[in-house]
Amino acid sequence: MTSTNSPGNPLIKTDCIGRVRLDKKHREALLDTFEKSPLSGTKFAALHGVKYQTFATWVQNRKRERDEYPVVPGDEPPAQKLL
């Protein structure tokens, strides 16, 4: 079961234990806004009623989808040896 956080903001919904539930379209719009914002992730998440850990996970997943993480030497999987 979900409920809205506030009557003025029907886009932010929470489940029965307080987790924010946004559909992909609205989450992507929120992340687009964050990328243009001068605010830190902590302040942006608090301003929009999202727990920081949830917001940070969304940002991290988006970066993984876009392959924005740099490859650090030693982090690559070991090459398979040809026999």
Side-chain angles (χ1 to χ4, degrees), residues 70-79:
V71 176
V72 178
D75 281 352
E76 305 104 7

Side-chain angles (χ1 to χ4, degrees), residues 3 8 10 12 14-15 18 31 37 47 55-56 61 66 73-79:
S3 64
I12 305 241
T14 57
D15 64 8
L31 291 171
S37 170
L47 181 66
F55 183 72
N61 288 341
R66 293 179 174 179
D75 281 352
E76 305 104 7

Side-chain angles (χ1 to χ4, degrees), residues 40-61:
S40 68
T42 307
K43 289 183 181 181
F44 188 88
L47 181 66
H48 291 279
V50 180
K51 290 183 180 179
Y52 174 70
Q53 186 59 49
T54 300
F55 183 72
T57 300
W58 294 347
V59 171
Q60 184 178 40
N61 288 341

Side-chain angles (χ1 to χ4, degrees), residues 1-79:
M1 179 176 182
T2 61
S3 64
T4 57
N5 271 351
S6 64
N9 191 355
L11 299 179
I12 305 241
K13 296 183 178 188
T14 57
D15 64 8
C16 61
I17 59 174
R19 295 177 299 191
V20 173
R21 310 301 291 179
L22 291 178
D23 61 20
K24 182 138 178 111
K25 181 176 86 172
H26 291 117
R27 184 172 59 238
E28 290 298 319
L30 188 69
L31 291 171
D32 289 340
T33 304
F34 170 65
E35 288 177 352
K36 297 173 188 171
S37 170
L39 297 175
S40 68
T42 307
K43 289 183 181 181
F44 188 88
L47 181 66
H48 291 279
V50 180
K51 290 183 180 179
Y52 174 70
Q53 186 59 49
T54 300
F55 183 72
T57 300
W58 294 347
V59 171
Q60 184 178 40
N61 288 341
R62 180 182 243 204
K63 285 183 179 183
R64 282 189 182 140
E65 288 172 1
R66 293 179 174 179
D67 288 330
E68 291 180 8
Y69 284 115
V71 176
V72 178
D75 281 352
E76 305 104 7

